[in-house]
Amino acid sequence: MIFEIIARDPGCEARCGRLETAHGTVDTPVFMPVGTQGSVKGISPDELEALGAHMILGNTYHLHMRPGAERVARLGGLHTFMHWPRSLLTDSGGFQVFSLAKINKIEEEGVAFQSHIDGSRHLLSPETAVKIQMRLGSDIAMVFDECNSYPVSYQYASESMQRTVRWARRSKAAHDQAKQALFGIIQGSVFLDLRKSCLEQLEAIGFDGYALGSLSVGESKEEMLEVLETITPMMPGQNPRYLMGVGTPEDLVEGVRLGVDMFDCVMPTRNARNGMLFTSQGSIQIKNSTYADDGGPIEEGCPCYTCRRFSRAYLRHLFMARELLAYRLNTLHNLHYYLKLMADMRQAIAEGRFEAWRQVFYAARGKE
Amino acid sequence: MIFEIIARDPGCEARCGRLETAHGTVDTPVFMPVGTQGSVKGISPDELEALGAHMILGNTYHLHMRPGAERVARLGGLHTFMHWPRSLLTDSGGFQVFSLAKINKIEEEGVAFQSHIDGSRHLLSPETAVKIQMRLGSDIAMVFDECNSYPVSYQYASESMQRTVRWARRSKAAHDQAKQALFGIIQGSVFLDLRKSCLEQLEAIGFDGYALGSLSVGESKEEMLEVLETITPMMPGQNPRYLMGVGTPEDLVEGVRLGVDMFDCVMPTRNARNGMLFTSQGSIQIKNSTYADDGGPIEEGCPCYTCRRFSRAYLRHLFMARELLAYRLNTLHNLHYYLKLMADMRQAIAEGRFEAWRQVFYAARGKE
């Protein structure tokens, strides 16, 4: 993997880069749609390509539970299995083990848990998490980490962070695939000294990129911003910086301003399936009865597949009638919105006018 | 509407035709995918066009209940509303009123019923059913009829058929849209003399096409075939003949052999959503564990979107994981199968070798 910075905004930390993986070039800052179980919910790989997605995320926990990494490997790896020719990042399974599975024990060795699907017993450790990701054949793998919920005591966050560092070291030792990059994950909850210490220790081990984990897990926007403002500038500038599981359009704009290069979040896809659609003026609920006779598109002038063809009235009808097409058309619009937002930010950075662009972005939403 | 016979098979009643509607040319025999609520479940209008669908069906009952025909009319009609540029046929609502709604009373005036969605009270009559279809703006409308379940007494079938004829006369009187064709519906359950009498009376009224209703509603294959074999040749040859709500691939082949020009059925789309996929050798259940490691397509050599890209193993995974993409990919394959079957039959008829083609069709399924 090669990462190159190609532009920096003069007014803030924002930067544009180019990430070369075994499956092509990814322009950064990048938003990665989430393909939890080997499919970005509601749309096809062709549609993802047409939307301009350069990299998507696959969930190691889900794919390990079903259909299994061995099976995916036998079928040619995750790219082939799901027919996705571009770049893929896999998480380590840490987040899902801590949020979905029934945890039996967290030990130095790893986490013993029961599958949320069938209750079967498994152990996920740094070694197994890395092995699974190598089998899946993603372009970027993540170290196995412990995700903290919010709030968590300083004491627990500190012990957990130290374990995450030890697990990161073991993850790197277990990793043996030249074509696959490996990123470290900075933990430490909202405690800045723990985050700093974690980052320093991870840098000493040395990774291809660095990620911030356990943010947007219940803490206030102020707390999240404080971590971002303090830690992001300390993250090595020559490596990609990845803010995991974040977030709203505003979160992306603030992350980019502070120098983040990569994001992933289920928000555009999940909200689409719940009928919440993004526009430059904010979001709308398509089920609202005001749209029942509205012949206009979700957003006037939006060039997405959905807006070029279908009215709000039709989309509302599909959603009320629970038609499958509703979820797809809503998802296409929301992902277009997110990916266009990233493209707009990249262009603004390249032209050295990110701060001015950011003011227009907030003004359209009625915010300063 | 213009209907022209362009080829006849020398060995049977099968025929090829060309149906010109206000929205284009439909090659017959034609299979119409069902777009119940203004969407063929799981796929987009673009995909329908790419599949080669020339005409689809919309359900008057469903669209009347939600979003309402007045609303669809205000939004430009059903073609515009659902972004479908080709031909559209609407049923009269009869079948759904008798199968879905809570019937309060069947009277000479019409049927009083309660909506299956919200329990609201409605009356569907020949006049309202025709008026709704004129508002929807379909290319072909159907008269309002009483659908018989199976079995039904001769006495009831006879009275019901006579009422259907009176309703057909009123439907025609209420119909006043030159661009929209109106078809009569032959009832009479499995009683051949009732079916004949119904057909004669409908012909005396005069319609643009004639349909067979209340078949494939529980009677045996033999009983259905007997009605088809007896009645189809009596239906006026210069008008399209439409077998409503039928059927399996075998049913389509037998219908075409007997001179039917038009079919509709939820089978390819509904079965797709239940994981049942059609192949030339018969159908398969994709959830079967034998497909878990199967890297081949649903059917070797199938040129459909799904088979060109995805393995049975991936489709099984998507189906087991209840991913939305499963329903779409399965639907694309099954509709391709149905539409290709019709195209193959048209070609065999045009080349005068329908009977030979039919033998190959059955031989592939291990049948004589």
Side-chain angles (χ1 to χ4, degrees):
Chain A
M1 190 193 81
I2 300 163
F3 182 61
E4 187 189 2
I5 303 289
I6 56 170
R8 290 174 194 282
D9 191 81
C12 63
E13 298 291 323
R15 62 212 211 143
C16 281
R18 200 174 280 139
L19 191 62
E20 301 276 353
T21 79
H23 288 85
T25 301
V26 178
D27 294 327
T28 67
V30 64
F31 177 80
M32 299 180 282
V34 178
T36 309
Q37 308 186 98
S39 170
V40 173
K41 286 187 195 302
I43 64 169
S44 69
D46 289 347
E47 284 167 331
L48 270 175
E49 280 194 68
L51 282 165
H54 287 168
M55 176 147 61
I56 65 173
L57 181 144
N59 285 123
T60 286
Y61 170 84
H62 286 284
L63 293 164
H64 179 48
M65 294 296 102
R66 180 173 61 194
E70 298 287 346
R71 173 163 288 146
V72 173
R74 280 196 300 274
L75 290 158
L78 187 53
H79 287 89
T80 301
F81 184 60
M82 68 182 289
H83 202 75
W84 173 247
R86 297 185 180 171
S87 301
L88 257 173
L89 178 148
T90 43
D91 65 9
S92 64
F95 183 77
Q96 277 75 27
V97 162
F98 289 100
S99 61
L100 274 185
K102 186 182 162 217
I103 300 273
N104 293 321
K105 217 185 255 180
I106 305 173
E107 290 181 310
E108 190 60 27
E109 172 60 17
V111 183
F113 66 94
Q114 289 181 258
S115 160
H116 74 293
I117 299 172
D118 60 8
S120 57
R121 289 170 186 274
H122 302 266
L123 177 85
L124 211 54
S125 69
E127 290 78 16
T128 56
V130 164
K131 193 172 157 190
I132 291 166
Q133 294 179 81
M134 290 194 292
R135 295 249 158 92
L136 294 173
S138 53
D139 299 291
I140 300 177
M142 303 299 297
V143 299
F144 187 64
D145 61 333
E146 180 177 345
C147 296
N148 293 148
S149 52
Y150 178 87
V152 69
S153 72
Y154 184 88
Q155 178 66 20
Y156 189 86
S158 174
E159 287 166 15
S160 165
M161 179 274 281
Q162 293 299 350
R163 182 162 47 225
T164 282
V165 170
R166 293 191 296 274
W167 283 357
R169 194 172 291 117
R170 282 168 53 194
S171 295
K172 183 166 178 185
H175 189 253
D176 178 27
Q177 200 170 71
K179 275 182 166 180
Q180 186 182 58
L182 183 67
F183 282 22
I185 303 177
I186 305 161
Q187 294 290 353
S189 187
V190 293
F191 307 108
L192 301 178
D193 61 324
L194 297 183
R195 291 274 181 183
K196 279 184 216 174
S197 164
C198 188
L199 170 56
E200 284 161 14
Q201 295 182 73
L202 292 175
E203 274 195 76
I205 301 169
F207 290 97
D208 299 309
Y210 297 86
L212 282 157
S214 299
L215 286 175
S216 203
V217 293
E219 80 284 3
S220 68
K221 286 277 174 197
E222 290 69 32
E223 286 173 305
M224 180 170 91
L225 263 181
E226 195 185 17
V227 173
L228 278 181
E229 281 172 353
T230 310
I231 304 301
T232 317
M234 296 178 177
M235 292 164 77
Q238 72 278 18
N239 299 107
R241 298 156 167 174
Y242 170 22
L243 176 54
M244 301 184 80
V246 175
T248 65
E250 288 86 347
D251 290 337
L252 302 189
V253 171
E254 295 314 302
V256 167
R257 176 175 69 84
L258 295 166
V260 174
D261 305 301
M262 300 164 65
F263 303 86
D264 82 277
C265 193
V266 295
M267 186 170 273
T269 45
R270 180 177 292 165
N271 287 15
R273 298 194 305 282
N274 294 324
M276 209 215 81
L277 303 173
F278 291 95
T279 82
S280 60
Q281 282 113 57
S283 59
I284 67 167
Q285 289 288 349
I286 197 66
K287 74 175 174 207
N288 195 311
S289 62
T290 51
Y291 303 125
D293 278 296
D294 188 336
I298 300 168
E299 176 151 29
E300 208 61 60
C302 175
C304 87
Y305 178 88
T306 304
C307 286
R308 275 184 287 128
R309 285 164 181 76
F310 303 102
S311 65
R312 288 170 164 182
Y314 182 65
L315 294 171
R316 178 179 189 269
H317 166 65
L318 291 181
F319 187 77
M320 299 305 284
R322 297 199 187 96
E323 282 287 341
L324 289 167
L325 190 58
Y327 310 118
R328 172 171 167 198
L329 295 180
N330 292 353
T331 301
L332 287 172
H333 173 81
N334 276 0
L335 278 181
H336 171 84
Y337 178 85
Y338 263 65
L339 294 169
K340 174 74 162 46
L341 179 67
M342 301 309 293
D344 287 350
M345 286 198 275
R346 289 195 298 268
Q347 193 179 343
I349 297 164
E351 294 170 2
R353 53 175 181 81
F354 182 78
E355 283 295 346
W357 176 90
R358 182 168 163 262
Q359 280 175 28
V360 172
F361 168 84
Y362 281 112
R365 303 169 171 250
K367 295 179 187 168
E368 299 256 336
Chain B
M1 192 194 78
I2 300 162
F3 181 62
E4 187 189 1
I5 303 289
I6 56 171
R8 289 175 196 282
D9 191 81
C12 63
E13 298 291 323
R15 62 212 212 145
C16 282
R18 201 175 279 137
L19 191 63
E20 301 277 352
T21 80
H23 288 86
T25 301
V26 178
D27 295 326
T28 66
V30 65
F31 176 81
M32 300 179 281
V34 178
T36 309
Q37 309 186 99
S39 170
V40 173
K41 288 189 194 299
I43 64 169
S44 70
D46 290 347
E47 284 168 331
L48 270 175
E49 282 194 68
L51 282 165
H54 288 167
M55 176 147 60
I56 64 172
L57 181 143
N59 285 121
T60 286
Y61 169 84
H62 285 285
L63 292 163
H64 179 48
M65 293 297 101
R66 182 174 57 193
E70 298 287 346
R71 174 164 288 147
V72 173
R74 280 197 300 274
L75 291 157
L78 187 53
H79 288 89
T80 301
F81 185 60
M82 68 182 289
H83 202 75
W84 173 246
R86 298 186 179 171
S87 301
L88 253 174
L89 178 147
T90 43
D91 65 10
S92 64
F95 182 79
Q96 277 75 27
V97 162
F98 289 100
S99 60
L100 273 186
K102 187 182 160 215
I103 300 272
N104 293 321
K105 219 184 256 182
I106 305 173
E107 291 181 311
E108 190 60 26
E109 172 61 17
V111 183
F113 66 93
Q114 288 181 258
S115 159
H116 74 292
I117 298 171
D118 59 8
S120 56
R121 289 169 186 275
H122 303 268
L123 177 85
L124 211 53
S125 70
E127 291 76 16
T128 55
V130 164
K131 191 171 159 192
I132 291 166
Q133 292 179 82
M134 291 194 292
R135 295 252 157 91
L136 295 173
S138 53
D139 299 291
I140 300 177
M142 303 300 296
V143 299
F144 187 64
D145 61 335
E146 181 177 344
C147 297
N148 293 147
S149 51
Y150 178 88
V152 70
S153 72
Y154 183 89
Q155 179 65 22
Y156 189 85
S158 175
E159 287 167 15
S160 166
M161 179 274 280
Q162 294 298 353
R163 184 163 45 226
T164 282
V165 170
R166 293 191 295 275
W167 284 357
R169 194 172 290 117
R170 282 167 54 194
S171 294
K172 184 167 177 184
H175 189 252
D176 177 28
Q177 201 169 71
K179 275 184 167 179
Q180 186 182 58
L182 183 67
F183 282 21
I185 303 177
I186 306 161
Q187 294 291 353
S189 188
V190 293
F191 306 109
L192 300 178
D193 61 324
L194 298 182
R195 290 274 182 184
K196 279 184 216 174
S197 165
C198 189
L199 170 56
E200 284 161 14
Q201 295 183 73
L202 292 175
E203 272 195 77
I205 301 170
F207 289 97
D208 300 309
Y210 297 87
L212 282 156
S214 300
L215 285 175
S216 204
V217 293
E219 79 284 2
S220 69
K221 285 278 172 196
E222 290 68 31
E223 286 174 304
M224 180 171 92
L225 262 181
E226 194 184 20
V227 173
L228 279 181
E229 281 171 354
T230 311
I231 305 301
T232 316
M234 297 179 176
M235 292 164 76
Q238 72 277 20
N239 298 108
R241 299 155 166 174
Y242 169 24
L243 176 53
M244 301 183 80
V246 175
T248 65
E250 288 86 349
D251 291 338
L252 301 189
V253 171
E254 294 313 303
V256 167
R257 176 175 68 85
L258 295 166
V260 174
D261 305 301
M262 299 164 64
F263 304 85
D264 82 276
C265 191
V266 295
M267 187 170 273
T269 43
R270 180 177 292 165
N271 287 16
R273 300 195 304 283
N274 294 324
M276 209 216 79
L277 303 173
F278 291 96
T279 82
S280 60
Q281 282 113 57
S283 59
I284 67 168
Q285 289 288 349
I286 197 65
K287 73 174 173 207
N288 194 310
S289 61
T290 50
Y291 303 126
D293 278 296
D294 189 336
I298 300 169
E299 176 152 29
E300 209 60 59
C302 174
C304 87
Y305 178 88
T306 303
C307 286
R308 276 185 286 125
R309 286 164 180 76
F310 302 101
S311 64
R312 289 170 162 181
Y314 182 65
L315 294 171
R316 177 179 191 269
H317 165 65
L318 290 180
F319 188 76
M320 299 304 285
R322 299 199 186 95
E323 281 287 340
L324 290 168
L325 189 59
Y327 310 118
R328 172 172 167 198
L329 295 180
N330 292 352
T331 300
L332 287 171
H333 174 81
N334 276 0
L335 279 181
H336 171 84
Y337 177 85
Y338 264 64
L339 295 168
K340 174 75 162 46
L341 179 67
M342 301 310 291
D344 286 351
M345 287 198 275
R346 289 195 298 268
Q347 194 180 339
I349 297 164
E351 295 170 3
R353 52 175 183 81
F354 182 78
E355 284 295 345
W357 176 90
R358 182 168 161 264
Q359 279 175 30
V360 172
F361 168 83
Y362 282 113
R365 303 171 171 250
K367 295 179 190 169
E368 300 254 337

